[in-house]
Amino acid sequence: MHLLDWQDISDKQWTGCIEQALLNSANRRRLEDTHKGKNVGLVFFNDSLRTRVSMELAAASLGAHPVTITPGSGTWGFAWDANKPMLGGEAEHIQEAVGVLSRYVDVLGVRLFASGTDWDKDMQDIMLKQFAAASAVPVLNLESATRHPCQALADAAVLTRHFEGRPKKKKFVLSWAYHPKPLPMAVPHSTLLMAARLGMDVTLARPDGFELDPVVVSAAKEAAKKAGGSVQQTNQLENAADGAEIIYAKAWGGAKRYSDPEAEASMRAQHSNWRITQGVMDRTENGHFMHCLPVRRGVVVDNEVLDGTNSLHLDQAEFRLHAQKAILSWLWDNGASQ
Ligand code: CP
């Protein structure tokens, strides 16, 4: 069984992983050594600080051995097209690369961002699915075109701890923020689904033209309804902040980047005032700030918010480690046998 997206996983197992991440946070210094002899392959097609370091340390902490691969930098470049003769610069096809790696390791993590050029391919996570189909061992999504399940689990554990086990019905604002680049939608998608599944009252605040994938918004509404929460949308950041308990900021590009990148850049530039300031935070109900990191200071959020006592961003980063341990243990102890 792979972990490509928490939507594929039962509520019981999702809740169990949150609980395990919280237990790991209480036992952070103990080397468990529970998975001695296991090997973890980590394939990073894109840059990372938190995911890479927390995965390597989590594997080592469980007694397993991590191996990190950055394709095209010290390994062969990988080709993806199944039907084209390989006459380009890539020496190895993803089919063999993943096939080989999955003969060496017991879990294969992969980070594979959105192309930004093909909406259907990105939103359906076609490349992640191709990677997973070639693997003989469980594949763990370390952030794909449209989901970041590892971040979502860490954030769910942080929120559960912050609200002392009762995040339900708390007002959670997921706010779009300006960024000079059209970033992918994986984190906002997974964040929306995560907060909805916790039963929070979620407000998705974004300017017109920066809607998330409607399929994800619809799934989040359904998840919130099932969990006793709600999801609503607005194009007004300040009003959304009124009475909020959490402001989770994230930048992402508009869907128009796929059809007309110049128009998208111009639309995005018109919203450079979408930044989390102290003024925004002052409208909340002693609200706390969240961001998955990396974050651009003075662009996405002001220093006084990030450096203030109500910012949870470093807790989120810390919980990446506790969450990765929970995920690896779950994949090996339960998921891999299904
Ligand atoms: N939040 C997150 O995934 O960080 P990295 O991109 O540094 O791994």
Side-chain angles (χ1 to χ4, degrees), residues 258-314:
Y258 287 87
S259 58
D260 189 345
E262 280 182 20
E264 191 275 347
S266 158
M267 277 168 61
R268 191 158 23 84
Q270 288 165 30
H271 299 297
S272 58
N273 60 333
W274 277 65
R275 192 178 78 252
I276 306 303
T277 62
Q278 193 53 50
V280 170
M281 296 307 294
D282 286 345
R283 296 181 73 136
T284 67
E285 197 68 40
N286 189 30
H288 283 66
F289 175 80
M290 294 179 76
H291 193 283
C292 63
L293 303 182
V295 70
R296 291 197 182 218
R297 285 176 173 255
V299 177
V300 168
V301 57
D302 281 355
N303 290 355
E304 59 183 328
V305 175
L306 203 57
D307 297 332
T309 52
N310 277 19
S311 185
L312 298 173
H313 63 296
L314 293 181

Tab-separated table of all heavy atoms in Angstrom, residues 258-314:
chain	number	residue	atom	x	y	z
A	258	TYR	N	-1.592	27.958	-16.341
A	258	TYR	CA	-1.512	26.835	-17.280
A	258	TYR	C	-1.840	27.268	-18.715
A	258	TYR	O	-1.305	26.721	-19.656
A	258	TYR	CB	-2.461	25.706	-16.833
A	258	TYR	CG	-1.942	24.971	-15.624
A	258	TYR	CD1	-2.228	25.420	-14.333
A	258	TYR	CD2	-1.129	23.848	-15.754
A	258	TYR	CE1	-1.732	24.762	-13.215
A	258	TYR	CE2	-0.629	23.183	-14.643
A	258	TYR	CZ	-0.932	23.649	-13.382
A	258	TYR	OH	-0.425	23.004	-12.284
A	259	SER	N	-2.741	28.251	-18.855
A	259	SER	CA	-3.155	28.663	-20.201
A	259	SER	C	-2.493	29.963	-20.631
A	259	SER	O	-2.262	30.179	-21.824
A	259	SER	CB	-4.674	28.820	-20.252
A	259	SER	OG	-5.086	29.761	-19.280
A	260	ASP	N	-2.174	30.849	-19.655
A	260	ASP	CA	-1.650	32.166	-19.999
A	260	ASP	C	-0.781	32.678	-18.839
A	260	ASP	O	-1.233	33.483	-18.010
A	260	ASP	CB	-2.851	33.117	-20.249
A	260	ASP	CG	-2.399	34.448	-20.827
A	260	ASP	OD1	-1.196	34.744	-20.767
A	260	ASP	OD2	-3.277	35.188	-21.319
A	261	PRO	N	0.481	32.194	-18.765
A	261	PRO	CA	1.344	32.531	-17.618
A	261	PRO	C	1.546	34.027	-17.412
A	261	PRO	O	1.609	34.492	-16.282
A	261	PRO	CB	2.682	31.849	-17.956
A	261	PRO	CG	2.373	30.856	-19.018
A	261	PRO	CD	1.128	31.289	-19.714
A	262	GLU	N	1.580	34.792	-18.510
A	262	GLU	CA	1.794	36.244	-18.367
A	262	GLU	C	0.592	36.916	-17.703
A	262	GLU	O	0.742	37.789	-16.839
A	262	GLU	CB	2.061	36.883	-19.729
A	262	GLU	CG	3.487	36.682	-20.170
A	262	GLU	CD	3.797	37.355	-21.501
A	262	GLU	OE1	3.056	38.271	-21.905
A	262	GLU	OE2	4.771	36.928	-22.137
A	263	ALA	N	-0.594	36.479	-18.096
A	263	ALA	CA	-1.810	37.046	-17.490
A	263	ALA	C	-1.871	36.676	-16.004
A	263	ALA	O	-2.253	37.496	-15.166
A	263	ALA	CB	-3.043	36.536	-18.225
A	264	GLU	N	-1.471	35.453	-15.688
A	264	GLU	CA	-1.484	35.022	-14.277
A	264	GLU	C	-0.521	35.871	-13.466
A	264	GLU	O	-0.837	36.307	-12.344
A	264	GLU	CB	-1.127	33.537	-14.191
A	264	GLU	CG	-1.358	32.916	-12.812
A	264	GLU	CD	-0.227	33.080	-11.832
A	264	GLU	OE1	0.895	33.462	-12.244
A	264	GLU	OE2	-0.432	32.846	-10.639
A	265	ALA	N	0.682	36.116	-14.015
A	265	ALA	CA	1.692	36.917	-13.295
A	265	ALA	C	1.169	38.330	-13.052
A	265	ALA	O	1.359	38.907	-11.975
A	265	ALA	CB	2.991	36.952	-14.095
A	266	SER	N	0.487	38.859	-14.042
A	266	SER	CA	-0.048	40.216	-13.918
A	266	SER	C	-1.174	40.262	-12.870
A	266	SER	O	-1.241	41.161	-12.039
A	266	SER	CB	-0.519	40.651	-15.312
A	266	SER	OG	-1.444	41.653	-15.229
A	267	MET	N	-2.033	39.230	-12.869
A	267	MET	CA	-3.110	39.153	-11.862
A	267	MET	C	-2.515	39.026	-10.456
A	267	MET	O	-2.971	39.667	-9.507
A	267	MET	CB	-3.956	37.888	-12.104
A	267	MET	CG	-5.017	38.030	-13.162
A	267	MET	SD	-5.686	36.415	-13.587
A	267	MET	CE	-6.373	35.860	-12.049
A	268	ARG	N	-1.478	38.206	-10.352
A	268	ARG	CA	-0.858	37.959	-9.032
A	268	ARG	C	-0.243	39.254	-8.494
A	268	ARG	O	-0.375	39.599	-7.316
A	268	ARG	CB	0.182	36.839	-9.172
A	268	ARG	CG	0.702	36.296	-7.870
A	268	ARG	CD	1.286	34.875	-8.010
A	268	ARG	NE	1.717	34.525	-9.334
A	268	ARG	CZ	2.909	34.840	-9.858
A	268	ARG	NH1	3.794	35.489	-9.136
A	268	ARG	NH2	3.204	34.484	-11.104
A	269	ALA	N	0.418	40.008	-9.391
A	269	ALA	CA	1.085	41.252	-8.978
A	269	ALA	C	0.093	42.269	-8.417
A	269	ALA	O	0.451	43.100	-7.579
A	269	ALA	CB	1.844	41.837	-10.158
A	270	GLN	N	-1.162	42.175	-8.875
A	270	GLN	CA	-2.178	43.123	-8.377
A	270	GLN	C	-2.578	42.846	-6.924
A	270	GLN	O	-3.276	43.644	-6.302
A	270	GLN	CB	-3.434	43.035	-9.254
A	270	GLN	CG	-3.261	43.643	-10.634
A	270	GLN	CD	-4.384	43.216	-11.564
A	270	GLN	OE1	-5.514	42.967	-11.131
A	270	GLN	NE2	-4.071	43.106	-12.837
A	271	HIS	N	-2.144	41.690	-6.396
A	271	HIS	CA	-2.562	41.313	-5.032
A	271	HIS	C	-1.369	41.220	-4.078
A	271	HIS	O	-1.384	40.411	-3.158
A	271	HIS	CB	-3.316	39.976	-5.086
A	271	HIS	CG	-4.547	40.030	-5.922
A	271	HIS	ND1	-5.621	40.845	-5.617
A	271	HIS	CD2	-4.874	39.408	-7.080
A	271	HIS	CE1	-6.552	40.705	-6.540
A	271	HIS	NE2	-6.124	39.842	-7.442
A	272	SER	N	-0.359	42.070	-4.311
A	272	SER	CA	0.837	42.008	-3.456
A	272	SER	C	0.529	42.487	-2.031
A	272	SER	O	1.342	42.321	-1.124
A	272	SER	CB	1.972	42.833	-4.062
A	272	SER	OG	1.534	44.160	-4.219
A	273	ASN	N	-0.672	43.043	-1.823
A	273	ASN	CA	-1.072	43.441	-0.455
A	273	ASN	C	-1.637	42.255	0.344
A	273	ASN	O	-1.955	42.407	1.523
A	273	ASN	CB	-2.107	44.573	-0.518
A	273	ASN	CG	-3.362	44.160	-1.275
A	273	ASN	OD1	-3.298	43.291	-2.147
A	273	ASN	ND2	-4.492	44.771	-0.965
A	274	TRP	N	-1.756	41.091	-0.272
A	274	TRP	CA	-2.212	39.904	0.478
A	274	TRP	C	-1.023	39.354	1.268
A	274	TRP	O	-0.337	38.403	0.853
A	274	TRP	CB	-2.786	38.834	-0.459
A	274	TRP	CG	-4.227	39.084	-0.822
A	274	TRP	CD1	-4.714	40.134	-1.534
A	274	TRP	CD2	-5.356	38.264	-0.487
A	274	TRP	NE1	-6.070	40.025	-1.665
A	274	TRP	CE2	-6.495	38.881	-1.033
A	274	TRP	CE3	-5.522	37.067	0.206
A	274	TRP	CZ2	-7.776	38.342	-0.897
A	274	TRP	CZ3	-6.798	36.530	0.328
A	274	TRP	CH2	-7.901	37.160	-0.207
A	275	ARG	N	-0.781	39.971	2.409
A	275	ARG	CA	0.357	39.627	3.285
A	275	ARG	C	-0.185	39.580	4.713
A	275	ARG	O	-1.055	40.388	5.055
A	275	ARG	CB	1.417	40.735	3.151
A	275	ARG	CG	2.737	40.423	3.746
A	275	ARG	CD	3.725	41.565	3.521
A	275	ARG	NE	3.514	42.671	4.440
A	275	ARG	CZ	2.998	43.853	4.112
A	275	ARG	NH1	2.643	44.128	2.860
A	275	ARG	NH2	2.829	44.785	5.027
A	276	ILE	N	0.311	38.653	5.511
A	276	ILE	CA	-0.205	38.573	6.886
A	276	ILE	C	0.568	39.585	7.741
A	276	ILE	O	1.741	39.401	8.051
A	276	ILE	CB	-0.095	37.144	7.459
A	276	ILE	CG1	-0.767	36.135	6.511
A	276	ILE	CG2	-0.741	37.102	8.852
A	276	ILE	CD1	-2.228	36.391	6.186
A	277	THR	N	-0.124	40.643	8.098
A	277	THR	CA	0.443	41.726	8.910
A	277	THR	C	-0.075	41.583	10.344
A	277	THR	O	-1.011	40.812	10.607
A	277	THR	CB	-0.022	43.084	8.368
A	277	THR	OG1	-1.462	43.129	8.485
A	277	THR	CG2	0.367	43.272	6.898
A	278	GLN	N	0.494	42.395	11.234
A	278	GLN	CA	-0.023	42.394	12.615
A	278	GLN	C	-1.471	42.888	12.616
A	278	GLN	O	-2.290	42.434	13.419
A	278	GLN	CB	0.862	43.262	13.514
A	278	GLN	CG	0.590	43.073	15.009
A	278	GLN	CD	0.656	41.625	15.465
A	278	GLN	OE1	1.626	40.917	15.175
A	278	GLN	NE2	-0.371	41.146	16.179
A	279	GLY	N	-1.772	43.788	11.677
A	279	GLY	CA	-3.145	44.290	11.566
A	279	GLY	C	-4.132	43.167	11.279
A	279	GLY	O	-5.236	43.141	11.841
A	280	VAL	N	-3.739	42.240	10.412
A	280	VAL	CA	-4.606	41.083	10.129
A	280	VAL	C	-4.745	40.238	11.398
A	280	VAL	O	-5.859	39.843	11.782
A	280	VAL	CB	-4.026	40.232	8.965
A	280	VAL	CG1	-4.780	38.919	8.828
A	280	VAL	CG2	-4.057	41.011	7.657
A	281	MET	N	-3.619	39.989	12.067
A	281	MET	CA	-3.662	39.139	13.268
A	281	MET	C	-4.484	39.788	14.377
A	281	MET	O	-5.136	39.088	15.173
A	281	MET	CB	-2.239	38.829	13.770
A	281	MET	CG	-1.382	38.012	12.807
A	281	MET	SD	-2.130	36.462	12.229
A	281	MET	CE	-2.210	35.485	13.728
A	282	ASP	N	-4.472	41.132	14.429
A	282	ASP	CA	-5.227	41.840	15.478
A	282	ASP	C	-6.740	41.648	15.329
A	282	ASP	O	-7.487	41.865	16.276
A	282	ASP	CB	-4.888	43.339	15.453
A	282	ASP	CG	-3.493	43.619	16.025
A	282	ASP	OD1	-2.934	42.710	16.684
A	282	ASP	OD2	-2.961	44.715	15.792
A	283	ARG	N	-7.175	41.261	14.139
A	283	ARG	CA	-8.614	41.031	13.926
A	283	ARG	C	-9.034	39.644	14.417
A	283	ARG	O	-10.226	39.333	14.475
A	283	ARG	CB	-8.956	41.179	12.441
A	283	ARG	CG	-8.706	42.587	11.940
A	283	ARG	CD	-9.077	42.722	10.485
A	283	ARG	NE	-10.518	42.727	10.303
A	283	ARG	CZ	-11.179	43.564	9.500
A	283	ARG	NH1	-10.528	44.476	8.816
A	283	ARG	NH2	-12.485	43.486	9.365
A	284	THR	N	-8.049	38.793	14.741
A	284	THR	CA	-8.374	37.415	15.130
A	284	THR	C	-8.728	37.344	16.617
A	284	THR	O	-8.586	38.327	17.353
A	284	THR	CB	-7.174	36.470	14.876
A	284	THR	OG1	-6.111	36.824	15.770
A	284	THR	CG2	-6.684	36.567	13.434
A	285	GLU	N	-9.112	36.156	17.047
A	285	GLU	CA	-9.436	35.901	18.449
A	285	GLU	C	-8.178	35.307	19.098
A	285	GLU	O	-8.051	34.096	19.226
A	285	GLU	CB	-10.608	34.891	18.479
A	285	GLU	CG	-11.357	34.781	19.774
A	285	GLU	CD	-12.146	36.036	20.115
A	285	GLU	OE1	-12.750	36.631	19.212
A	285	GLU	OE2	-12.119	36.409	21.304
A	286	ASN	N	-7.203	36.193	19.412
A	286	ASN	CA	-5.884	35.717	19.883
A	286	ASN	C	-5.387	34.617	18.951
A	286	ASN	O	-4.896	33.570	19.377
A	286	ASN	CB	-5.963	35.204	21.331
A	286	ASN	CG	-4.575	34.913	21.900
A	286	ASN	OD1	-3.583	35.554	21.523
A	286	ASN	ND2	-4.488	33.915	22.780
A	287	GLY	N	-5.529	34.846	17.637
A	287	GLY	CA	-5.227	33.813	16.645
A	287	GLY	C	-3.744	33.502	16.545
A	287	GLY	O	-2.889	34.325	16.893
A	288	HIS	N	-3.462	32.306	16.080
A	288	HIS	CA	-2.082	31.853	15.875
A	288	HIS	C	-1.806	31.724	14.376
A	288	HIS	O	-2.695	31.385	13.597
A	288	HIS	CB	-1.833	30.538	16.602
A	288	HIS	CG	-1.659	30.742	18.085
A	288	HIS	ND1	-2.680	31.187	18.892
A	288	HIS	CD2	-0.566	30.594	18.884
A	288	HIS	CE1	-2.230	31.295	20.138
A	288	HIS	NE2	-0.955	30.940	20.156
A	289	PHE	N	-0.564	31.999	14.033
A	289	PHE	CA	-0.137	31.980	12.636
A	289	PHE	C	0.510	30.638	12.303
A	289	PHE	O	1.272	30.097	13.113
A	289	PHE	CB	0.870	33.121	12.395
A	289	PHE	CG	1.450	33.111	11.012
A	289	PHE	CD1	0.737	33.624	9.929
A	289	PHE	CD2	2.716	32.578	10.775
A	289	PHE	CE1	1.271	33.593	8.647
A	289	PHE	CE2	3.259	32.546	9.496
A	289	PHE	CZ	2.534	33.054	8.432
A	290	MET	N	0.211	30.125	11.118
A	290	MET	CA	0.870	28.891	10.664
A	290	MET	C	1.385	29.072	9.236
A	290	MET	O	0.791	29.780	8.431
A	290	MET	CB	-0.101	27.693	10.706
A	290	MET	CG	-0.526	27.306	12.109
A	290	MET	SD	-1.703	25.907	12.152
A	290	MET	CE	-0.624	24.508	11.838
A	291	HIS	N	2.489	28.408	8.949
A	291	HIS	CA	3.031	28.345	7.585
A	291	HIS	C	3.925	27.112	7.503
A	291	HIS	O	4.670	26.806	8.434
A	291	HIS	CB	3.833	29.606	7.236
A	291	HIS	CG	4.143	29.711	5.771
A	291	HIS	ND1	5.131	28.959	5.176
A	291	HIS	CD2	3.569	30.446	4.790
A	291	HIS	CE1	5.150	29.244	3.880
A	291	HIS	NE2	4.218	30.145	3.622
A	292	CYS	N	3.881	26.434	6.361
A	292	CYS	CA	4.629	25.178	6.223
A	292	CYS	C	6.138	25.406	6.078
A	292	CYS	O	6.920	24.486	6.293
A	292	CYS	CB	4.103	24.400	5.028
A	292	CYS	SG	4.344	25.274	3.463
A	293	LEU	N	6.530	26.614	5.665
A	293	LEU	CA	7.928	26.958	5.372
A	293	LEU	C	8.418	26.210	4.129
A	293	LEU	O	7.962	25.101	3.900
A	293	LEU	CB	8.848	26.680	6.562
A	293	LEU	CG	8.482	27.388	7.880
A	293	LEU	CD1	9.524	27.051	8.952
A	293	LEU	CD2	8.373	28.901	7.716
A	294	PRO	N	9.338	26.760	3.333
A	294	PRO	CA	9.996	28.051	3.552
A	294	PRO	C	9.036	29.218	3.281
A	294	PRO	O	8.108	29.082	2.487
A	294	PRO	CB	11.125	28.040	2.519
A	294	PRO	CG	10.632	27.166	1.418
A	294	PRO	CD	9.807	26.108	2.077
A	295	VAL	N	9.286	30.333	3.976
A	295	VAL	CA	8.405	31.491	3.834
A	295	VAL	C	9.233	32.735	3.504
A	295	VAL	O	10.361	32.879	3.995
A	295	VAL	CB	7.580	31.719	5.120
A	295	VAL	CG1	8.431	32.205	6.287
A	295	VAL	CG2	6.409	32.662	4.868
A	296	ARG	N	8.686	33.605	2.679
A	296	ARG	CA	9.371	34.861	2.331
A	296	ARG	C	8.918	35.950	3.293
A	296	ARG	O	7.763	36.388	3.251
A	296	ARG	CB	9.057	35.259	0.889
A	296	ARG	CG	9.708	34.306	-0.101
A	296	ARG	CD	9.759	34.903	-1.477
A	296	ARG	NE	10.349	33.944	-2.391
A	296	ARG	CZ	11.179	34.263	-3.378
A	296	ARG	NH1	11.499	35.523	-3.597
A	296	ARG	NH2	11.675	33.325	-4.167
A	297	ARG	N	9.857	36.365	4.167
A	297	ARG	CA	9.582	37.438	5.127
A	297	ARG	C	9.305	38.747	4.395
A	297	ARG	O	9.980	39.071	3.424
A	297	ARG	CB	10.786	37.620	6.054
A	297	ARG	CG	10.907	36.540	7.106
A	297	ARG	CD	12.168	36.697	7.934
A	297	ARG	NE	12.170	35.743	9.036
A	297	ARG	CZ	11.937	36.067	10.305
A	297	ARG	NH1	11.738	37.328	10.646
A	297	ARG	NH2	11.935	35.136	11.241
A	298	GLY	N	8.340	39.487	4.887
A	298	GLY	CA	8.021	40.784	4.299
A	298	GLY	C	7.240	40.680	2.997
A	298	GLY	O	6.889	41.693	2.402
A	299	VAL	N	7.001	39.449	2.545
A	299	VAL	CA	6.239	39.250	1.309
A	299	VAL	C	4.952	38.472	1.632
A	299	VAL	O	3.847	38.936	1.361
A	299	VAL	CB	7.069	38.480	0.250
A	299	VAL	CG1	6.236	38.208	-1.000
A	299	VAL	CG2	8.323	39.261	-0.095
A	300	VAL	N	5.141	37.300	2.267
A	300	VAL	CA	4.001	36.469	2.664
A	300	VAL	C	3.506	36.896	4.047
A	300	VAL	O	2.302	36.909	4.318
A	300	VAL	CB	4.418	34.976	2.671
A	300	VAL	CG1	3.378	34.112	3.357
A	300	VAL	CG2	4.651	34.498	1.238
A	301	VAL	N	4.465	37.228	4.923
A	301	VAL	CA	4.139	37.539	6.328
A	301	VAL	C	5.148	38.558	6.846
A	301	VAL	O	6.321	38.541	6.445
A	301	VAL	CB	4.156	36.248	7.183
A	301	VAL	CG1	5.490	35.524	7.103
A	301	VAL	CG2	3.793	36.521	8.632
A	302	ASP	N	4.681	39.416	7.746
A	302	ASP	CA	5.597	40.398	8.343
A	302	ASP	C	6.408	39.771	9.474
A	302	ASP	O	5.944	38.856	10.157
A	302	ASP	CB	4.796	41.596	8.877
A	302	ASP	CG	4.403	42.546	7.749
A	302	ASP	OD1	4.827	42.319	6.598
A	302	ASP	OD2	3.663	43.508	8.031
A	303	ASN	N	7.603	40.325	9.684
A	303	ASN	CA	8.499	39.813	10.729
A	303	ASN	C	7.825	39.777	12.100
A	303	ASN	O	7.998	38.825	12.860
A	303	ASN	CB	9.750	40.690	10.834
A	303	ASN	CG	10.656	40.540	9.628
A	303	ASN	OD1	10.398	39.705	8.757
A	303	ASN	ND2	11.699	41.341	9.550
A	304	GLU	N	7.064	40.827	12.424
A	304	GLU	CA	6.503	40.889	13.779
A	304	GLU	C	5.495	39.766	14.024
A	304	GLU	O	5.319	39.332	15.166
A	304	GLU	CB	5.886	42.261	14.075
A	304	GLU	CG	4.770	42.676	13.150
A	304	GLU	CD	4.248	44.093	13.472
A	304	GLU	OE1	4.268	44.497	14.651
A	304	GLU	OE2	3.832	44.765	12.518
A	305	VAL	N	4.869	39.265	12.975
A	305	VAL	CA	3.951	38.126	13.130
A	305	VAL	C	4.770	36.838	13.299
A	305	VAL	O	4.566	36.053	14.229
A	305	VAL	CB	3.010	37.992	11.911
A	305	VAL	CG1	2.145	36.742	12.016
A	305	VAL	CG2	2.145	39.243	11.780
A	306	LEU	N	5.729	36.660	12.392
A	306	LEU	CA	6.524	35.424	12.398
A	306	LEU	C	7.368	35.314	13.677
A	306	LEU	O	7.537	34.223	14.222
A	306	LEU	CB	7.432	35.419	11.163
A	306	LEU	CG	7.924	34.070	10.662
A	306	LEU	CD1	6.784	33.117	10.350
A	306	LEU	CD2	8.790	34.259	9.418
A	307	ASP	N	7.874	36.447	14.151
A	307	ASP	CA	8.733	36.434	15.338
A	307	ASP	C	7.935	36.586	16.629
A	307	ASP	O	8.508	36.573	17.724
A	307	ASP	CB	9.774	37.565	15.248
A	307	ASP	CG	10.704	37.372	14.045
A	307	ASP	OD1	10.908	36.199	13.654
A	307	ASP	OD2	11.200	38.371	13.502
A	308	GLY	N	6.634	36.743	16.514
A	308	GLY	CA	5.796	36.918	17.705
A	308	GLY	C	5.528	35.598	18.412
A	308	GLY	O	5.840	34.523	17.892
A	309	THR	N	4.915	35.693	19.582
A	309	THR	CA	4.682	34.483	20.389
A	309	THR	C	3.538	33.631	19.832
A	309	THR	O	3.366	32.491	20.254
A	309	THR	CB	4.354	34.869	21.846
A	309	THR	OG1	3.288	35.828	21.808
A	309	THR	CG2	5.560	35.468	22.541
A	310	ASN	N	2.753	34.182	18.904
A	310	ASN	CA	1.606	33.437	18.381
A	310	ASN	C	1.888	32.781	17.031
A	310	ASN	O	0.952	32.536	16.273
A	310	ASN	CB	0.386	34.349	18.259
A	310	ASN	CG	-0.349	34.480	19.587
A	310	ASN	OD1	0.224	34.188	20.634
A	310	ASN	ND2	-1.597	34.908	19.551
A	311	SER	N	3.145	32.523	16.748
A	311	SER	CA	3.435	31.824	15.498
A	311	SER	C	3.818	30.371	15.782
A	311	SER	O	4.647	30.092	16.655
A	311	SER	CB	4.568	32.508	14.726
A	311	SER	OG	4.699	31.844	13.487
A	312	LEU	N	3.202	29.460	15.038
A	312	LEU	CA	3.414	28.018	15.250
A	312	LEU	C	4.332	27.415	14.195
A	312	LEU	O	4.455	26.197	14.111
A	312	LEU	CB	2.055	27.296	15.212
A	312	LEU	CG	1.030	27.703	16.289
A	312	LEU	CD1	-0.318	27.024	16.014
A	312	LEU	CD2	1.529	27.321	17.677
A	313	HIS	N	4.994	28.261	13.391
A	313	HIS	CA	5.713	27.722	12.227
A	313	HIS	C	6.853	26.778	12.616
A	313	HIS	O	7.088	25.786	11.932
A	313	HIS	CB	6.211	28.848	11.317
A	313	HIS	CG	7.210	29.769	11.938
A	313	HIS	ND1	6.922	30.580	13.012
A	313	HIS	CD2	8.504	30.009	11.632
A	313	HIS	CE1	8.001	31.287	13.330
A	313	HIS	NE2	8.967	30.954	12.511
A	314	LEU	N	7.535	27.062	13.739
A	314	LEU	CA	8.633	26.158	14.121
A	314	LEU	C	8.095	24.864	14.736
A	314	LEU	O	8.711	23.799	14.598
A	314	LEU	CB	9.613	26.872	15.055
A	314	LEU	CG	10.391	28.016	14.396
A	314	LEU	CD1	11.370	28.669	15.371
A	314	LEU	CD2	11.149	27.550	13.153
